């Protein structure tokens, strides 16, 4: 498209979120200089926190954790780049509040407490997601076991009436790691359906109303992501300039007021 003006106040430059979060620091560090001329923003304005969150923020501390054979990055209340050896199995797991405009309401953490062992961990979280359109407080517990199981539990409540688009856990799968990979989804009734992470961008939803997504890697490793309550839907995030497939959920009933 045509170059356009973006300021700190204008918010997230969504097309470049994945570049700024890239594990390859050469890509991430080069992104501001590459982006700034195209969007007519002074380089000092286009920084990592502005691109990711829409406003300058102090960088969140990073910890590398292990749950048995699964290693991952913990930062800002999220698990990222879950991998076994050199194989990425899940890109990102996080809890999100989307307001009525579809904007992600960023969390302000009151507590982040991490305890680690050689091959296990537990994380206690407490946060409030608030802006002019929404306010939701939640607590969470993330655990990782030596058997390679990671669990993310969340409970919360609205601090005022508002109309959210979605409130719930999401799991992202990396395109580079999984394009062309077959998978199975299982719904609440136990019905199994086959699917494939598409190589080409899909404008249509990839899957709807499922509780579990599982796939097996070529070397026989099985990866399962399952909700205890609720349902996932899944879409191709490349439609929004990101390099992932997103399985998203909502802890809300199918009405819109919380």
């Amino acid at each position: 498209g045509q170059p356009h003006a973006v300021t700190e106040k204008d918010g997230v430059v969504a097309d470049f979120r994945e570049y700024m979060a890239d594990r390859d620091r050469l890509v991430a560090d080069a992104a501001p200089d590459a982006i700034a001329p195209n969007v007519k923003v002074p380089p000092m304005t286009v920084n990592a926190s502005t691109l990711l969150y829409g406003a300058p923020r102090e960088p969140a501390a990073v910890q590398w954790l292990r749950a048995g054979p699964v290693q991952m990055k913990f930062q800002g209340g999220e698990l990222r780049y879950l991998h076994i050896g050199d194989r990425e199995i899940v890109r990102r797991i996080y809890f999100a509040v989307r307001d009525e405009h579809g904007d992600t309401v960023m969390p302000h953490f009151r507590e982040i407490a991490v305890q680690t062992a050689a091959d296990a961990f537990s994380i206690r979280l407490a946060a409030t997601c608030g802006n002019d359109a929404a306010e939701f407080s939640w607590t969470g517990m993330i655990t990782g076991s030596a058997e390679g199981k990671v669990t993310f539990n969340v409970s919360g409540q609205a601090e005022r009436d508002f109309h959210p688009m979605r409130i719930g856990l999401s799991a992202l799968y990396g395109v580079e790691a999984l394009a062309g990979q077959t998978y199975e989804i299982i719904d609440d009734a136990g019905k199994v359906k086959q699917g494939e992470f598409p190589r080409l961008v899909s404008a249509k939803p990839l899957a709807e109303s499922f509780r579990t997504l599982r796939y097996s890697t070529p070397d026989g490793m099985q990866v399962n992501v399952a909700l205890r309550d609720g349902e996932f839907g899944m879409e191709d995030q490349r439609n929004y300039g990101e390099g992932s497939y997103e399985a998203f959920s909502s802890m809300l009933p199918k009405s819109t007021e919380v």
Side-chain angles (χ1 to χ4, degrees):
Q2 295 297 316
H4 56 282
V6 176
T7 68
E8 288 181 326
K9 186 177 179 181
D10 287 327
V12 174
V13 183
D15 289 353
F16 301 102
R17 288 176 181 164
E18 288 295 321
Y19 292 116
M20 293 306 304
D22 200 287
R23 288 179 69 189
D24 186 336
R25 294 312 308 166
L26 291 175
V27 175
D29 292 344
D33 290 337
I35 295 165
N38 296 325
V39 295
K40 297 182 179 178
V41 182
M44 64 179 295
T45 298
V46 183
N47 53 49
S49 63
T50 300
L51 288 170
L52 288 170
Y53 307 116
R57 296 180 63 178
E58 289 296 319
V62 174
Q63 286 184 264
W64 286 95
L65 305 173
R66 178 184 288 273
V70 185
Q71 298 181 67
M72 69 209 76
K73 175 182 177 181
F74 172 71
Q75 184 177 26
E78 303 179 357
L79 300 178
R80 304 178 183 178
Y81 302 110
L82 287 77
H83 61 281
I84 296 178
D86 293 330
R87 182 184 296 278
E88 181 183 296
I89 57 173
V90 177
R91 171 67 53 86
R92 186 178 170 203
I93 303 173
Y94 66 101
F95 178 77
V97 175
R98 295 278 186 93
D99 66 22
E100 61 186 304
H101 309 295
D103 295 331
T104 299
V105 187
M106 297 308 300
H108 299 275
F109 286 97
R110 303 185 303 278
E111 179 181 24
I112 298 179
V114 181
Q115 293 185 326
T116 60
D119 56 359
F121 65 88
S122 65
I123 304 168
R124 193 170 62 251
L125 303 169
T128 297
C129 300
N131 63 11
D132 292 340
E135 188 172 2
F136 189 87
S137 294
W138 58 276
T139 57
M141 176 65 75
I142 311 173
T143 59
S145 73
E147 293 72 35
K149 182 178 181 179
V150 177
T151 304
F152 197 144
N153 288 300
V154 178
S155 62
Q157 66 179 25
E159 300 297 340
R160 65 175 190 267
D161 291 347
F162 65 96
H163 294 269
M165 176 177 288
R166 188 164 68 234
I167 298 176
L169 288 163
S170 290
L172 272 59
Y173 299 89
V175 170
E176 301 94 334
L178 291 173
Q181 169 74 51
T182 58
Y183 61 79
E184 294 179 329
I185 56 173
I186 307 171
D187 67 16
D188 195 32
K191 182 179 179 181
V192 180
K193 191 175 183 179
Q194 306 290 326
E196 181 179 303
F197 292 110
R199 297 183 186 277
L200 300 179
V201 179
S202 174
K204 297 179 180 180
L206 302 180
E208 296 179 321
S209 301
F210 64 95
R211 181 162 287 191
T212 300
L213 185 150
R214 67 189 182 197
Y215 70 88
S216 296
T217 64
D219 53 5
M221 177 177 60
Q222 188 170 95
V223 179
N224 293 271
V225 175
L227 277 176
R228 185 178 61 193
D229 301 302
E231 294 178 329
F232 279 123
M234 187 162 64
E235 61 188 9
D236 192 331
Q237 291 294 97
R238 290 174 292 181
N239 287 291
Y240 312 107
E242 300 183 13
S244 59
Y245 315 102
E246 180 181 10
F248 57 86
S249 69
S250 181
M251 61 197 298
L252 300 171
K254 295 189 178 181
S255 60
T256 56
E257 185 165 324
V258 63

